[in-house]
Amino acid sequence: GMKISVLSKKLWCVRKQLIILLTPVIFLPLLFTLPEKEGKCLYVVVLMALFWCTEALPLAVTAMLPVCLFPTLGILPAKTVCPQYFIETNFLFLSGLVMASSIEEWGLHRRIALKVLSIVGVKPAWLILGMMLTSSFLSMWLSNTATTAMMLPIANAILESLFGDLETLKLKCKSPEDYDTAPPVKLHSLPSEKQILSVDGTDATEQADHLTAEEIRSESEYQLKVWKGFLICIPYAASIGGTATLTGTAPNLILIGQLKSYFPDCDLINFGSWFAFAFPLMLVFLVLGWLWISFLYGGLNTRLCFKRNDQRAQAEARAKALIQEDYRKLGPLNFAEGAISFFFVLFAVLLFTRDPKFVTGWSVLFKKGYVSDAVTGVIIVSILFFFPSQKPSLRWWFDPQASNAPYVPLLSWKKAQDSVPWNIILLLGGGFAMAKACEESGLAAWIGGHLQPLAEVPPAAAVILITAFLACFTEFASNTATIIIFLPVIVELALRVSVNPLYFMIPATVGCSYAFMLPVSTPPNSIAFASGHLMVKDMVKTGIVMNVLGVLSISLAMNTWGVAMFDLHSYPDWVHPKNASALVTDVYNT
């Protein structure tokens, strides 16, 4: 027994190295049992999928495997693989990341958050709604991770002003026996149901002074629940918000990149048209998620909106004061924040209106097909690097006494370089390279052939199955890796069934962002979990229902406004050229 435990400990220490060494050996048969080119490509895809899921190598390093393996195995030449790593889509993403870094640099995100929270008020259910709206709005523009990291401290501060110190609260939740010796603890907080019933105020406060230990305990447990609900809603809302804009999260960019690669003639999806589809979906899901979280964590019972009991009122006044005080500390809006707000709004408006599909956009002013979302994004963020952060003044030129401090732009390159997650840009590149290989080697078509039985499933049901499957898979793998691995297969499936490819691709992409069940599912979950107040079972319990609500919301969106916007019920013209060429080569090969 002893030896086995020692050995298992040793093996656990080198588990990543073992995975890296053993996986290639275990899957060698793929090279010999499948058709040659398809087999080699599948071998690389399986290795990358496993390395991504186990994180045996850093995500970005696994993403570079196509550069190592596709040329050496004779699947694609290096000159085809390498350009996939920085295509137009990466530029759009980069411009979004740089915009985000300037917003963070000047603290604009914090100002937006505190402003929204001061508007929604401090009743638990409304506060949770305020938290969710703020987190989802910010994560449309910032990364989901940065949003969560910024919102959690704000949430904790508000909770402490409402309920006092967390440790004391946990103590009060212990069983009543512990209190027989201790004097009754006076609570400042939400009244229990009994106190609500008492008609006049004096009565209620006296009861609060002489609460039994049992009442104190149930009270504290309720508060602890509200506390958890608060923390868990932030990463969830950040994940949901990321789906609303193309640059909000990496899987959306994988979709647009692979769409351009497979169907060069399809120009249906861009920043504006995606927003028009995904933003209403985000709102629907946010409201459903809010109702579920409030229901589960005690915000939606009778304690929602009544104004009895002065202690409760005191606690709420304290929380309100805290939010206002924090906002006051930010001071008045300075020139730099104003400038960033202006460029941020300009960035969004120009991207939305370039070619929104349902109305004519400004792209008609330029040569057709030349200006894309990436161009728009890069133009705006380039301005940030020279626009002044101090108000320019004429007086300064004529005032010999004025300080001749050097001129500081809104954003320095150093700041941008430090805050852009370059690993994600490599990850996108790895995804595009992998898709290219699946297509060129015929692997996608080969897998498609094996998916023939699924042709019997009605498309609407297939959408639900695909979304549900990916929403489960993404709990164990990175969201981006999940969509990279499955999108080529989903495209082939759509072509086999003669369904509009977007009808399967869009829900798959959004479903990958719905990673709610485990702390390891996605970085925002890990951050919220690291705060130490959540249990894995809290996340699983809340997350399972969130996943179901998410799949239902997507299916609703796809079959109502999605169909109308992207004309999903017809088999589009932009599909054909590619397939025609594939069929021709098949004929020659046989």
Side-chain angles (χ1 to χ4, degrees), residues 313-324:
Q314 279 167 8
E316 289 183 351
R318 268 199 309 277
K320 254 203 163 75
L322 173 103
I323 296 173
Q324 275 155 357

Side-chain angles (χ1 to χ4, degrees), residues 10-12 14-24:
K10 299 280 188 216
L11 286 174
W12 183 248
V14 294
R15 63 187 185 281
K16 290 190 170 177
Q17 287 76 5
L18 283 174
I19 292 171
I20 292 167
L21 294 173
L22 292 178
T23 317

